[in-house]
């Protein structure tokens, strides 16, 4: 199955989406897609089949997000912690990723036509070279697209991301590009992998687990979190509608807590230069991954 699927919504579902669209729609939704293996057990199929069904659900869910007019989605596809699973399962997930990131790049015409910007967030050093190459090619190709954004957290944990940001900033101090007094939450935020994204408005975790599992910890301070009691492959557009409906009910309460500083300007021009340099180096790293 490809990442770009046609809408399978019924007339009634489309009608309900249009009703909800009269209210505020979240700009950015994050998903912890949990429950693939339990789904496999429930259906008496191999774990690999559970993960494949999980991917199919992801493609479907991205289509629903588009129908809602949600501009940005971030999905937790592979945690660094997942490397601790059995070799067989890690190999299966890497095989799936290899196949899907290849398909994603092959869908380039469609991505460009629809203005989709793809970003993979995570520790790319932990990934095999061929997967890195397809990810890098897709990210570089779509980096200037601005209609919709898909961030795939792969080999990601939030604490690893924050550690990486701290390391980057400390290196900047060592290289005399910035001083210790320049370090604050805005600067650390600008050095996260998610530096180009606004914080998520909603985070949805499926499978009934009530944890964040090291996902977007920095970014979700004022995010509404919904725990859906359904396994990820069984997630439906009705569940998504329910989350958006709850978001709308508390919208005016949430908004006042939000910091509208997603794009706070750096205090000094040398700090901006440092941040731009960090982003430039990250792009160069991607270019190096492409043979
Ligand atoms: C969590 O379910 C799911 C994962 C660890 C993998 C998620 C991956 C996908 C949905 C496929 C996406 C793939 C790409 C390439 C984007 P679990 O394995 O923890 O299941 P459990 O909670 O029932 O044990
Ligand atoms: Mg799980």
């Amino acid at each position: 199955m490809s990442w770009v699927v046609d809408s399978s919504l019924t007339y009634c579902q489309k009608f309900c989406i249009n009703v909800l669209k009269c209210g505020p729609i979240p700009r950015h939704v994050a998903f912890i897609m949990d429950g693939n293996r339990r789904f496999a057990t429930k259906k008496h199929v191999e774990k690999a089949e559970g993960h494949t069904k999980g991917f199919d659900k992801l493609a479907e869910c991205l289509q629903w997000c588009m129908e809602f007019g949600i501009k940005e989605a971030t999905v937790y596809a592979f945690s660094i912690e997942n490397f601790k699973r059995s070799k067989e399962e890690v190999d299966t997930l890497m095989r799936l990723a290899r196949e899907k990131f290849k398909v994603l790049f092959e869908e380039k015409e469609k991505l460009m036509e629809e203005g989709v910007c793809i970003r993979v967030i995570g520790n790319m050093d932990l990934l095999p070279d061929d997967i890195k190459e397809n990810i890098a090619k897709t990210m570089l190709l779509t980096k200037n697209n601005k209609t919709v954004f898909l961030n795939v957290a792969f080999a990601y944990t939030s604490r690893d991301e924050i550690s990486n940001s701290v390391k980057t900033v400390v290196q900047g101090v060592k290289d005399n590009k910035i001083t210790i007094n320049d370090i604050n939450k805005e600067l650390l935020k600008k050095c996260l992998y998610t530096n180009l994204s606004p914080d998520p408005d909603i985070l949805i975790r499926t499978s009934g687990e009530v944890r964040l599992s090291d996902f977007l910890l920095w970014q979700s301070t004022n995010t509404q979190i919904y725990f859906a009691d359904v396994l990820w492959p069984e997630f439906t557009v009705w569940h998504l509608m329910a989350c958006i409906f709850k978001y709308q009910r508390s919208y005016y309460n949430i908004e006042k807590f939000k910091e509208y500083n997603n794009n706070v300007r750096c205090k000094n021009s040398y700090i901006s230069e440092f941040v731009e340099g960090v982003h430039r180096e990250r792009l160069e790293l991607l270019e190096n991954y492409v043979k």
Side-chain angles (χ1 to χ4, degrees):
M1 190 179 192
S2 105
W3 293 68
V4 189
V5 293
D6 290 331
S7 170
S8 56
L9 295 172
T10 62
Y11 177 77
C12 170
Q13 289 166 336
K14 280 191 181 159
F15 175 78
C16 293
I17 289 178
N18 282 331
V19 172
L20 284 168
K21 278 170 86 173
C22 297
I25 293 298
R27 191 204 168 282
H28 181 181
V29 180
F31 295 92
I32 301 181
M33 311 178 286
D34 196 23
N36 292 350
R37 293 183 302 184
R38 273 167 281 171
F39 174 80
T41 308
K42 190 172 151 185
K43 298 286 174 195
H44 309 288
V45 294
E46 297 289 316
K47 277 183 205 157
E49 178 66 11
H51 291 307
T52 304
K53 285 279 181 287
F55 176 82
D56 296 348
K57 183 56 66 177
L58 166 61
E60 210 182 345
C61 185
L62 293 175
Q63 188 55 44
W64 302 334
C65 288
M66 302 265 271
E67 298 267 353
F68 265 107
I70 294 166
K71 259 189 105 63
E72 183 148 1
T74 301
V75 297
Y76 207 1
F78 190 85
S79 155
I80 292 175
E81 290 298 307
N82 291 153
F83 280 112
K84 293 182 188 154
R85 293 188 177 186
S86 70
K87 182 178 177 318
E88 191 193 349
E89 192 180 349
V90 173
D91 287 349
T92 300
L93 283 163
M94 286 299 151
R95 239 190 336 269
L96 184 64
R98 181 171 286 113
E99 179 200 328
K100 297 305 179 186
F101 284 121
K102 184 165 174 281
V103 168
L104 186 64
F105 183 66
E106 285 165 2
E107 288 181 326
K108 51 184 179 284
E109 272 91 30
K110 191 99 185 140
L111 295 177
M112 298 310 281
E113 215 174 274
E114 309 249 340
V116 185
C117 172
I118 304 285
R119 298 180 185 131
V120 176
I121 56 169
N123 191 337
M124 297 266 270
D125 290 344
L126 302 175
L127 297 177
D129 286 348
D130 60 330
I131 298 186
K132 274 198 290 219
E133 185 179 354
N134 270 319
I135 289 176
K137 284 198 292 195
T138 314
M139 283 176 73
L140 289 168
L141 177 80
T142 63
K143 72 180 187 330
N144 295 321
N145 288 349
K146 295 207 162 35
T147 312
V148 281
F149 300 83
L150 171 63
N151 310 308
V152 183
F154 204 84
Y156 174 91
T157 61
S158 198
R159 286 178 295 177
D160 181 69
E161 178 185 33
I162 295 167
S163 309
N164 180 280
S165 170
V166 171
K167 259 190 241 164
T168 307
V169 168
V170 168
Q171 192 60 51
V173 174
K174 272 176 130 179
D175 296 342
N176 290 320
K177 292 180 179 159
I178 48 170
T179 73
I180 254 188
N181 293 330
D182 297 324
I183 303 177
N184 55 26
K185 61 178 180 162
E186 279 81 30
L187 184 60
L188 285 168
K189 188 174 170 69
K190 283 186 190 297
C191 295
L192 294 174
Y193 301 134
T194 53
N195 64 77
L196 299 171
S197 300
D199 290 343
D201 303 295
I202 300 187
L203 188 155
I204 300 169
R205 180 179 188 143
T206 56
S207 90
E209 301 293 338
V210 189
R211 291 177 277 126
L212 284 179
S213 300
D214 220 340
F215 184 51
L216 302 180
L217 302 181
W218 185 293
Q219 298 86 343
S220 54
T221 319
N222 289 307
T223 300
Q224 284 252 33
I225 303 177
Y226 299 108
F227 297 102
D229 206 0
V230 58
L231 303 174
W232 173 250
E234 293 177 334
F235 187 72
T236 67
V237 71
W238 296 111
H239 295 103
L240 182 60
M241 282 191 226
C243 293
I244 292 179
F245 180 62
K246 286 185 201 152
Y247 166 79
Q248 293 184 335
R249 277 198 315 181
S250 34
Y251 177 74
Y252 296 102
N253 276 340
I254 315 164
E255 283 307 293
K256 65 174 181 256
F257 292 113
K258 283 203 177 152
E259 297 178 39
Y260 287 96
N261 66 353
N262 274 314
N263 241 329
V264 172
R265 282 168 153 245
C266 297
K267 239 180 18 223
N268 293 304
S269 61
Y270 66 88
I271 306 179
S272 306
E273 271 164 38
F274 166 70
V275 170
E276 278 160 27
V278 168
H279 297 170
R280 218 174 19 251
E281 274 169 32
R282 286 186 185 166
L283 281 180
E284 281 163 15
L285 204 63
L286 288 180
E287 278 155 13
N288 288 339
Y289 291 147
V290 182
K291 284 181 204 124

